Amino acid sequence: MKFFIDTASIQEIKKAASWGILDGVTTNPSLVAKEGRNFHEALKEICSVVAGPVSAEVVSTTTEEMVKEGRELSRIAKNIIVKIPCIAAGIPAIKMLSAEGIAINTTLIFSPNQALIAAKAGAAFVSPFVGRLDDISTEGMDLVRRIRTIFDNYDFPTQILAASIRNPVHVVEAAMAGADAATMPFAVIESLLKHPLTDAGLKKFLEDWQKLPQASRRG
Ligand code: G3P
């Protein structure tokens, strides 16, 4: 499963990239606004740090404007993926931009039919929002499972990018559900390796090692 970081913070992206397991970045207007930087400059910098896909979202809501904005965003760097919301005006934009060779991530996916339509329009990725469904007392991961079944039934090449991931359990479940990728906030990526038994076990190993006479510790 590919690991994407869900942030527009260049510090967080650099730190996660330095661990060597980062496959891409997703941003959205809320995350970009949080950083308070020029959108295109920030994207250019992010694309210079990460070689994999970097999702940049359009903020227009008509087909024509989305296509125009998508083309502009795609010119920032080769690895830009244009994020388009799953609304009626977005579908022809996905179709047109995909036909031009611009990879699309369809965002704000909350139902299997939305994912099916985005895949039919040629989207490279669909982003089901797991956490936001959980927030309204709906099993968010069921959506990922249902999309997986649909895409496998019809051999859609569209990748499932589990989004709105809030905790390490979401990551395990997304992997078990067969998501192609998961996008996570920095804190979630950081927490994936943590286990108290690992820390306690290592502490004990190192304490026991100290009990071995100095001369016996090296070859
Ligand atoms: O980037 C989209 C998505 O991951 C948002 O997550 O936590 O705001 O629902 P969240």
Side-chain angles (χ1 to χ4, degrees):
M1 185 171 71
K2 292 173 191 132
F3 277 19
F4 290 3
I5 188 167
D6 198 25
T7 185
S9 157
I10 195 75
Q11 287 80 13
E12 289 183 349
I13 292 166
K14 281 184 177 162
K15 186 86 199 280
S18 75
W19 297 330
I21 45 113
L22 189 66
D23 299 297
V25 179
T26 54
T27 66
N28 63 39
S30 308
L31 294 169
V32 173
K34 209 164 104 186
E35 297 306 307
R37 291 187 57 192
N38 175 279
F39 184 34
H40 283 219
E41 277 172 21
L43 285 172
K44 206 173 269 180
E45 191 173 355
I46 293 170
C47 289
S48 72
V49 174
V50 179
V54 173
S55 286
E57 190 161 341
V58 301
V59 288
S60 324
T61 52
T62 67
T63 303
E64 201 189 351
E65 285 169 347
M66 280 192 256
V67 168
K68 187 170 171 278
E69 208 186 332
R71 286 182 186 135
E72 280 164 15
L73 288 170
S74 76
R75 279 194 283 271
I76 294 175
K78 280 205 292 279
N79 50 334
I80 286 280
I81 305 285
V82 175
K83 226 174 170 184
I84 293 196
C86 196
I87 55 174
I91 305 306
I94 294 170
K95 186 135 194 152
M96 277 184 242
L97 291 169
S98 300
E100 289 175 21
I102 296 172
I104 305 297
N105 173 3
T106 311
T107 191
L108 290 164
I109 297 271
F110 292 99
S111 80
N113 283 332
Q114 287 179 313
L116 176 56
I117 288 171
K120 279 176 73 67
F125 293 93
V126 288
S127 290
F129 274 34
V130 174
R132 291 192 194 186
L133 282 168
D134 287 355
D135 290 345
I136 58 157
S137 307
T138 306
E139 169 65 50
M141 207 54 73
D142 269 353
L143 176 58
V144 175
R145 291 186 200 103
R146 296 170 87 187
I147 298 171
R148 180 75 281 154
T149 302
I150 292 167
F151 285 6
D152 290 350
N153 283 350
Y154 297 99
D155 284 334
F156 279 115
T158 307
Q159 296 188 50
I160 304 172
L161 204 183
S164 188
I165 292 290
R166 306 269 177 79
N167 56 56
V169 176
H170 274 158
V171 180
V172 176
E173 290 187 348
M176 289 177 68
D180 299 285
T183 188
M184 314 157 230
F186 179 81
V188 172
I189 300 184
E190 203 175 32
S191 71
L192 293 184
L193 264 182
K194 283 188 191 147
H195 199 290
L197 290 179
T198 304
D199 296 339
L202 180 61
K203 188 167 173 279
K204 180 79 169 71
F205 284 157
L206 296 179
E207 281 166 4
D208 289 345
W209 182 251
Q210 292 306 317
K211 292 174 195 158
L212 192 67
Q214 189 75 259
S216 310
R217 288 188 209 166
R218 298 276 173 258

